[in-house]
Amino acid sequence: ITLTYKPIEGLTITNNAGTDFYTEGRRKVYAKGTVGALNGKFQTWNLYKRIINNDLMVSYEKTFANDYHFKAMVGHNLYQEEWKNENVQAQNLVVDGLYTYTNAKSTTPVNYYEKKRLVGLYGDISLGYKDMLFVNVTGRNDWSSSLVYQNGMGTYSYFYPSVSGSWLLNETFDLPHWITFAKVRGSWAQVGNDTDPYYVNSVYGFETKEMYDGNIYVNTLDKTMKSLKLKPERKNAWEVGLDLRLFDSRLNFDFTYYKENTRDQIMSIEVPAISGVNTQLINAGNIQNKGIEIAVNATPYKNKDWQWDVAVTYTKNKNTIISLHENVADYIALSGYANDYDYHIGSVAKVGGDYGLLMSDILPAKNEKGETLLEWDDSWRGAYEARSGKVQEVGKMTPDFLGSLSTTLSWKNLSLHI
């Protein structure tokens, strides 16, 4: 629902309110004799999710002396997510094929509920001069319920601004006639981010143990140690760019150079099990991305009925882990296992390497001369390379660069794109 009110010229008050929700029912049954459920059982889920989003915005827009354009906006945002899962497990059926609660000797309800609320205040100011110079300044402050500790404390309020500008050179200078359009642009922005609801708090869990004479219910301890000083994630990014169009826009170039640093990512690291926990929740460190993006669009041929367009893109991104939390011994495991289970390869975050660096302990063992060591197997009377057992870098998940080439051939209103 959108409501708009314009009390005077240039002033607009708008409220956008929306909701999105769904309910879903599931059931899974196991007939008597099923492996793992010899006496039969069934399980039901009632799932419910709802999102509420409301924006109240007040904006004012005015042009002064035909050259200066001004627009300002302030707003308030309320965003809320609610999730509910009613799960019931029924075991040991009396009559096979009858999946009702009264036909089960025991039932175990497991209910899960979570709610997250984000409240924000934001503002935006835009200035334009003679349709050639543009400046935009924004700022937003969020309050997130997912960063509130059980005692009501926490860094749950965070502010992030941005500044951007552009300059149309073709509107400012007398450029050669073959330069159709030329614009330089630049921006700096900061973005804040929170985490999942209840993630920062340590709580007891519940567990059901099935005994010969019925079920017993026990509490379980949280195996993740939570920091009491978690901060919201921060991303600082800046970029500069050039948009150049030549020969009546028959040849166009778009160039961008960017750099961004993400700090204080909320993530888990492994800790020695002897401590009583398995993982520790931390603010990770500083992850940097920088690179270039180039796009070239050309129209080599064009007449009344025919047109041939060619587009080329090239992007190169360098991802680097600048720093990690002081408790990280060597690296943070992201996926897989570098030295365990059936994987013996995993993606990790390691200082100086890419995010998603691949490491493994399966490389061959070497002697002091760099020669590969072999091991003998009597069962099949053969030799094979000895595994080093040392976790080493073996590759990376990120590509060196990305590129594309496409072409479009058009005849009147019919076109073919490859």
Side-chain angles (χ1 to χ4, degrees):
I1 299 176
T2 301
L3 300 176
T4 302
Y5 176 54
K6 298 181 178 180
I8 60 175
E9 184 179 356
L11 180 64
T12 304
I13 303 172
T14 304
N15 193 89
N16 295 318
T19 182
D20 183 15
F21 62 92
Y22 70 82
T23 58
E24 180 181 342
R26 302 178 183 176
R27 187 172 74 151
K28 189 174 185 179
V29 300
Y30 299 80
K32 281 193 173 186
T34 302
V35 176
L38 295 179
N39 294 320
K41 67 178 183 179
F42 69 95
Q43 190 170 359
T44 61
W45 296 265
N46 289 319
L47 308 176
Y48 173 77
K49 185 172 184 177
R50 181 177 65 177
I51 296 175
I52 298 175
N53 196 24
N54 188 86
D55 271 290
L56 173 63
M57 295 172 286
V58 180
S59 63
Y60 180 74
E61 188 172 6
K62 189 173 180 62
T63 299
F64 300 92
N66 295 324
D67 291 335
Y68 300 92
H69 184 77
F70 171 80
K71 184 177 181 179
M73 183 267 291
V74 293
H76 173 271
N77 173 251
L78 171 64
Y79 178 85
Q80 180 172 295
E81 285 188 12
E82 187 177 6
W83 168 257
K84 182 166 56 177
N85 181 359
E86 297 174 344
N87 181 359
V88 179
Q89 301 177 33
Q91 301 94 5
N92 301 321
L93 304 181
V94 178
V95 179
D96 188 20
L98 180 59
Y99 301 104
T100 63
Y101 296 126
T102 55
N103 187 45
K105 293 183 179 179
S106 62
T107 58
T108 306
V110 180
N111 294 327
Y112 180 77
Y113 176 81
E114 69 177 32
K115 180 188 286 187
K116 175 182 175 179
R117 181 177 296 163
L118 188 72
V119 178
L121 290 175
Y122 53 90
D124 186 304
I125 297 177
S126 298
L127 299 173
Y129 173 67
K130 287 188 174 181
D131 290 330
M132 64 181 183
L133 280 174
F134 303 90
V135 177
N136 182 251
V137 180
T138 71
R140 175 168 177 140
N141 198 97
D142 282 337
W143 291 264
S144 173
S145 66
S146 66
L147 292 172
V148 180
Y149 289 102
Q150 292 163 318
N151 59 5
M153 305 299 289
T155 311
Y156 52 82
S157 173
Y158 46 97
F159 175 78
Y160 45 99
S162 75
V163 180
S164 63
S166 60
W167 183 12
L168 299 183
L169 302 179
N170 58 294
E171 296 288 342
T172 308
F173 303 106
D174 238 353
L175 300 177
H177 69 278
W178 47 271
I179 300 180
T180 311
F181 180 84
K183 179 176 74 173
V184 292
R185 62 184 185 273
S187 67
W188 173 85
Q190 188 178 91
V191 179
N193 195 22
D194 56 6
T195 186
D196 296 330
Y198 318 128
Y199 194 40
V200 301
N201 287 294
S202 295
V203 296
Y204 288 106
F206 298 96
E207 190 174 284
T208 303
K209 294 188 178 294
E210 189 173 346
M211 310 297 288
Y212 70 94
D213 57 348
N215 294 332
I216 61 173
Y217 307 98
V218 297
N219 286 339
T220 58
L221 295 175
D222 196 337
K223 291 298 183 179
T224 299
M225 182 171 63
K226 311 294 178 68
S227 169
L228 296 178
K229 297 181 180 180
L230 284 175
K231 296 178 289 186
E233 175 185 314
R234 297 277 185 168
K235 178 185 288 187
N236 289 280
W238 63 266
E239 72 170 47
V240 292
L242 171 66
D243 186 354
L244 186 62
R245 305 174 194 176
L246 311 175
F247 308 113
D248 198 22
S249 297
R250 294 281 294 270
L251 182 60
N252 305 326
F253 298 90
D254 195 304
F255 172 82
T256 302
Y257 176 80
Y258 64 89
K259 181 180 178 182
E260 61 182 37
N261 289 75
T262 303
R263 292 179 169 87
D264 297 326
Q265 281 188 317
I266 299 176
M267 60 194 311
S268 297
I269 61 173
E270 294 182 356
V271 298
I274 196 173
S275 64
V277 295
N278 298 328
T279 57
Q280 179 185 6
L281 193 64
I282 61 166
N283 288 115
N286 182 1
I287 301 173
Q288 184 182 96
N289 282 280
K290 62 180 180 180
I292 60 173
E293 299 176 351
I294 301 174
V296 181
N297 294 276
T299 305
Y301 181 80
K302 181 179 181 180
N303 65 14
K304 180 182 177 181
D305 295 328
W306 291 88
Q307 181 170 324
W308 175 33
D309 298 311
V310 179
V312 180
T313 65
Y314 172 86
T315 62
K316 181 176 178 62
N317 179 73
K318 175 60 177 175
N319 180 294
T320 307
I321 308 296
I322 303 299
S323 64
L324 291 173
H325 190 274
E326 58 186 6
N327 289 353
V328 177
D330 188 28
Y331 57 81
I332 296 177
L334 303 175
S335 179
Y337 298 90
N339 60 349
D340 209 348
Y341 298 98
D342 293 332
Y343 295 93
H344 284 281
I345 189 168
S347 62
V348 306
K350 182 180 180 180
V351 173
D354 294 356
Y355 187 86
L357 183 71
L358 297 177
M359 301 189 71
S360 176
D361 66 348
I362 63 173
L363 292 181
K366 304 283 187 178
N367 61 17
E368 296 178 354
K369 297 180 180 180
E371 299 168 332
T372 300
L373 300 178
L374 301 178
E375 290 187 0
W376 181 262
D377 191 312
D378 280 331
S379 62
W380 54 279
R381 300 195 58 78
Y384 59 92
E385 292 180 343
R387 180 181 294 173
S388 67
K390 179 182 178 182
V391 177
Q392 304 173 66
E393 299 178 14
V394 296
K396 61 178 184 178
M397 297 178 61
T398 54
D400 292 332
F401 68 91
L402 294 172
S404 69
L405 171 63
S406 62
T407 182
T408 303
L409 183 63
S410 303
W411 178 69
K412 295 185 177 181
N413 293 325
L414 186 65
S415 63
L416 174 66
H417 178 78
I418 301 176

